Amino acid sequence: MIRGPRLVLLGKQGAGKGTQAARLSERYGIAHVATGDLFRAAAAAGTPAGIEAERYMNRGDLVPDNLVFQIVAERFAEGGPLEHGFVLDGFPRTRRQAEKLEAALETHPLDLVINLDVPTEIVLDRLAGRRVCESCGTTYHVSAPPKNDWICDVCGGRVVQREDDTEEAVLRRLELYDEETVPIIDFYRKLGKLVVVDGVGESDDVFARLVAQVEQRVQPLQT
Ligand SMILES: [Zn+2]
């Protein structure tokens, strides 16, 4: 039986990781396991783990490892991503999570861990230049504003910069990301599973680079 690849996609906020993970999921017919979405869905469904995770997120804290694993395990129990392949997006976030994941996936090991690399100054411009409609959530960029004086083209609402999109706030998040992620990259490099893909450029070009790496490194895609 042909199976899909088992992937982890690492990347800074603003690197386009979510978009590319969704495209990989579609291309290979594999599950897109985005932990942010999983936490929100679990919270909305009112599961005990979901409600607890929501409390941490509302305080701006990281969700603790045990809770993350519980929620991811629930997702993996549902539809068989272990057998059919998956792309993890937003997880693991710490070296400890990476080690636990490696142990948990013993019989279905990861094929490839991709670091989607975009320089800090580029994501900083993307994120700090972002403006959002207060009413409908449509996003703009200072380089592509709405037609009239920061009035939303879609709904006429006010278009503003969110507090957590200021340059200072974005830089703080990016620094935290680096602190957490350098040890993860190190861990997977030592296992021989890491590949770095240039994430700068048009979405289609970046996707083509990702696919080339997956098809070169994950062969044959069979159980
Ligand atoms: Zn709007």
Side-chain angles (χ1 to χ4, degrees):
M1 190 186 107
I2 304 280
R3 69 160 176 90
R6 294 188 283 264
L7 309 171
V8 168
L9 192 56
L10 302 171
K12 300 180 178 87
Q13 190 192 16
K17 179 166 55 80
T19 307
Q20 297 296 346
R23 295 184 72 171
L24 286 168
S25 154
E26 196 184 333
R27 167 102 179 194
Y28 296 110
I30 56 178
H32 177 194
V33 181
T35 38
D37 295 345
L38 279 187
F39 295 162
R40 278 186 289 276
T47 71
I51 291 166
E52 208 185 330
E54 192 176 33
R55 281 210 304 269
Y56 286 96
M57 288 188 292
N58 287 345
R59 288 200 300 260
D61 290 337
L62 285 182
V63 180
D65 285 354
N66 286 344
L67 207 49
V68 174
F69 268 85
Q70 198 179 330
I71 291 171
V72 171
E74 280 168 17
R75 173 67 181 82
F76 272 56
E78 276 169 27
L82 278 186
E83 280 74 29
H84 297 112
F86 56 81
V87 53
L88 281 170
D89 164 9
F91 175 79
R93 277 198 65 158
T94 62
R95 169 150 184 159
R96 211 173 135 234
Q97 287 182 358
E99 288 167 353
K100 277 185 78 169
L101 178 68
E102 197 62 20
L105 291 177
E106 199 187 2
T107 55
H108 298 83
L110 293 172
D111 293 308
L112 197 60
V113 176
I114 303 166
N115 184 25
L116 187 60
D117 187 42
V118 178
T120 294
E121 59 272 22
I122 292 180
V123 292
L124 185 62
D125 173 71
R126 280 183 198 165
L127 296 171
R130 186 164 64 179
R131 300 292 182 272
V132 182
C133 171
E134 281 183 325
S135 306
C136 73
T138 299
T139 57
Y140 299 86
H141 190 269
V142 286
S143 63
K147 290 185 195 78
N148 300 310
D149 199 24
W150 300 104
I151 302 296
C152 178
D153 291 337
V154 178
C155 77
R158 278 207 314 153
V159 175
V160 299
Q161 183 177 39
R162 289 197 313 212
E163 253 177 64
D164 58 354
D165 282 346
T166 61
E167 192 166 318
E168 195 190 1
V170 171
L171 266 178
R172 198 161 354 111
R173 283 205 301 283
L174 291 174
E175 274 167 21
L176 181 65
Y177 176 83
D178 276 342
E179 268 172 42
E180 287 175 335
T181 311
V182 168
I184 300 177
I185 288 172
D186 220 45
F187 173 72
Y188 285 123
R189 183 174 284 132
K190 282 182 184 138
L191 291 178
K193 292 188 176 182
L194 186 87
V195 65
V196 180
V197 169
D198 179 7
V200 179
E202 294 297 322
S203 179
D204 286 352
D205 298 335
V206 174
F207 185 61
R209 285 174 214 145
L210 288 168
V211 167
Q213 284 297 333
V214 170
E215 289 177 6
Q216 186 189 324
R217 299 277 307 257
V218 189
Q219 288 289 343
L221 289 178
Q222 291 181 353
T223 47

